[in-house]
Amino acid sequence: MAKENSASPKYHQLEAKRKRLTWILVACGLCVLCYVLGAWQSNTPVPQSEVYQRVGCDDANGSGDHQSLSTPSLSSQSSDSDVTLDFESHHGIEIDTSKASVSFPPCDMSYSEYTPCQDPTRSKKFDRDMLKYRERHCPAKEEQLRCLIPAPPRYKSPFKWPQSRDYAWYDNIPHKELSIEKAVQNWIQVEGDRFRFPGGGTMFPRGADAYIDDISELIPLTNGEIRTAIDTGCGVASWGAYLLKRDILAMSFAPRDTHEAQVQFALERGVPAMIGVMASQRLPYPARSFDMAHCSRCLIPWEKYDGLFLLEVDRVLRPGGYWILSGPPIRWRKYWKGWERTQEDLKQEQDAIEDVAKRQCWKKVIEKDDLAIWQKPMNHIQCIKSRQTYKTPHICKSENPDAAWNNNMDTCITPLPEVSNSDEVAGGELKKWPERAMAVPPRITSGSVKGVNAQKLKEDNEMWKERVSHYEHIVGSFDQGRFRNVMDMNAYLGGFAAALLKYPVWVMNVVPANSNRDTLGVIYERGFIGTYQDWCEAFSTYPRTYDLIHAGALFSIYQDRCDISDILLEMDRILRPEGTVIFRDTVDVLVKIQGITDGMRWKSQIMDHESGPFNPEKILLAVKSYWTGGTSAQKQGQDS
């Protein structure tokens, strides 16, 4: 029996080769057929609806314009083969471009210093009891202005810090009232085309610097224990201005029109300040925010309304924090004639203040010359026991002490977090400044802020270092004096402020009042300042008070709550001419924003995320154009 030749092909192998050859021939045939059909179709006339008009990029000016989009192409090589191309996004989210062509006119010059929620005309309609008429009373939707607040006709960029602490241009805030009314007290002086701020005050005629030195002899101001302060009834904020060189950051506030434009002067100087008043509602700050509170002849009736106002100071004062009082009634034996009050009246007022302070468990540290200082306890162990002696005020029951937006003050003592012994600091002890800025705040350590831990804080800090480095490439260095007053409209953990610490700027950290996570307490525990704010309403400040505004993911939060054009108009109001805004959001939201800001005479550009083009979050960089009121404003409004 013969053996099978192993070198000869088997039957199944020959069959496989034939099948492969057949498939190759079929594929080649299909390719030839498709080519023939395509060539035949290209010679068939295209319906007019499918023809697109080529954008003319080579016009006389070297760039295309809107007219070229509807002009037939002059290129014979492509005119008969062009088809409609759809460049629109198909992600399911519609972008409302209906407002892109809206141009906002300038407001009348009478609105140059308009403060929507503290309008003196509107405030007359409200109760004058407890100064309620000076609280926030925002306009209804139909009352809101849909125009751009004009700058004064000869407005110029403010002096750079630190020169701005001592000087401001008269044309920017043309009010001489304070220089006349407070001439003896050296608040402010007019020198030619500018104001000079000598640093004086009602109770510190030798200057704020010497006054602060007097305080420093009584309590520790230079060892880092005191970082945040609040100045009630701040004047032109000279106390806060001179605390800055001691690394103490003060939130100064005063009501609108007690003295003309005092908060406006403070911000023009580059000093943190807000319009505010001690009336019926809580101050817009969380509990345990400030290391020190100050009143220098602030004219607040501390002893009235069952000690309501002093109880509010207690709420925002940190455990172990200090309250400093100068002016009436302190040292009444010396000043009673100048204050035009009787000795009996002044003594009665001081005795009443002493009683309120004692009942809310404060200890009087010292009274020396023009100063009296009290200290809040480190915890409430003894204070709770003392309620057997003092029936009023009682300890507040089951209420969020941080809930400060549109909430009324209470005539009760805000409870401190529980402690295990009398030496423990309620809520946790804070590090000294500057270590405090990067240390993990007690609110995070205790887990009181949901979803935030030490690792997330660290990651947030690293992210902001990278962001600020990127911003310096697109807006310029932060240490050249272009920016001084900075606002973060959605501050989260205060990472932006922390990354800017080495620069000569300060940051108003804003936490939206209707945010899912209340992080403002964390920001204060890091040694920064800020406020709650509902951005469907106007901010408590004068026009033209911020150099740089940051809005990260803010409009994604608010686009379904209110008209975002109202928020943008408010940003335009508080932004200085030639000021900068940095938006961070999705492309859809940024395109919508850009369509509105184009009608506000802002110049803007959408840029990639610092990590590259594949990140869905983008950056919109915008700069407000310089323009002023009067004739030029009307002309520019017509031109636009």
Side-chain angles (χ1 to χ4, degrees), residues 137-392:
H137 301 290
C138 300
K141 179 67 177 177
E142 60 272 13
E143 294 181 89
Q144 293 178 5
L145 298 181
R146 302 288 294 178
C147 54
L148 307 176
I149 302 297
R154 291 180 294 276
Y155 180 89
K156 52 178 76 73
S157 296
F159 288 94
K160 294 181 179 180
W161 184 265
Q163 191 180 12
S164 65
R165 187 195 70 178
D166 302 323
Y167 292 97
W169 297 114
Y170 173 80
D171 287 334
N172 290 8
I173 313 177
H175 294 288
K176 292 184 179 180
E177 294 89 343
L178 279 177
S179 65
I180 299 170
E181 183 180 347
K182 300 293 182 179
V184 178
Q185 299 165 11
N186 276 333
W187 277 30
I188 183 173
Q189 297 173 356
V190 179
E191 295 183 352
D193 60 352
R194 65 197 65 186
F195 291 108
R196 186 171 75 87
F197 302 93
T202 306
M203 293 308 300
F204 35 95
R206 294 182 297 124
D209 223 10
Y211 176 77
I212 293 170
D213 286 340
D214 293 340
I215 296 174
S216 188
E217 292 178 1
L218 307 177
I219 58 175
L221 291 185
T222 57
N223 66 353
E225 289 183 11
I226 295 175
R227 164 61 180 174
T228 55
I230 183 169
D231 191 8
T232 55
C234 64
V236 294
S238 288
W239 189 71
Y242 282 87
L243 281 174
L244 287 169
K245 72 177 187 179
R246 296 166 172 85
D247 270 342
I248 296 176
L249 195 58
M251 175 70 82
S252 301
F253 74 86
R256 168 80 196 249
D257 290 337
T258 296
H259 298 300
E260 194 69 46
Q262 52 186 328
V263 168
Q264 190 176 13
F265 277 119
L267 288 159
E268 188 75 8
R269 300 175 70 184
V271 180
M274 289 179 63
I275 301 173
V277 64
M278 297 284 278
S280 67
Q281 293 191 334
R282 285 180 170 180
L283 299 175
Y285 318 117
R288 312 192 311 277
S289 293
F290 300 99
D291 301 305
M292 177 170 61
H294 175 254
C295 162
S296 176
R297 200 172 186 180
C298 58
L299 304 179
I300 296 173
W302 300 111
E303 78 286 2
K304 293 185 178 180
Y305 310 110
D306 297 319
L308 181 69
F309 302 139
L310 211 54
L311 286 164
E312 177 62 5
V313 172
D314 179 78
R315 184 186 70 84
V316 300
L317 203 58
R318 197 159 284 148
Y322 298 96
W323 182 56
I324 302 167
L325 177 63
S326 64
I330 303 304
R331 213 178 186 186
W332 54 266
R333 288 181 177 87
K334 178 179 178 180
Y335 295 118
W336 66 276
K337 289 184 179 179
W339 291 339
E340 297 180 349
R341 293 175 60 183
T342 66
Q343 296 184 63
E344 292 76 13
D345 180 39
L346 288 163
K347 182 181 183 304
Q348 185 179 8
E349 181 182 343
Q350 180 160 352
D351 289 345
I353 292 174
E354 301 266 12
D355 183 61
V356 170
K358 184 182 295 185
R359 286 175 177 273
Q360 63 185 36
C361 309
W362 289 7
K363 180 184 76 172
K364 190 170 186 179
V365 177
I366 194 170
E367 181 175 340
K368 183 180 178 182
D369 298 331
D370 295 347
L371 294 165
I373 301 177
W374 286 262
Q375 186 175 25
K376 179 177 176 175
M378 294 292 184
N379 55 64
H380 272 171
I381 289 180
Q382 293 299 322
C383 192
I384 292 172
K385 292 179 180 179
S386 71
R387 294 310 92 188
Q388 297 176 1
T389 304
Y390 300 111
K391 302 301 181 183
T392 59

Side-chain angles (χ1 to χ4, degrees), residues 434-456:
E435 185 183 357
R436 187 186 297 187
M438 295 302 171
V440 181
R443 274 177 164 90
I444 291 180
T445 305
S446 65
S448 61
V449 183
K450 293 182 180 179
V452 180
N453 54 34
Q455 181 60 31
K456 287 196 173 182

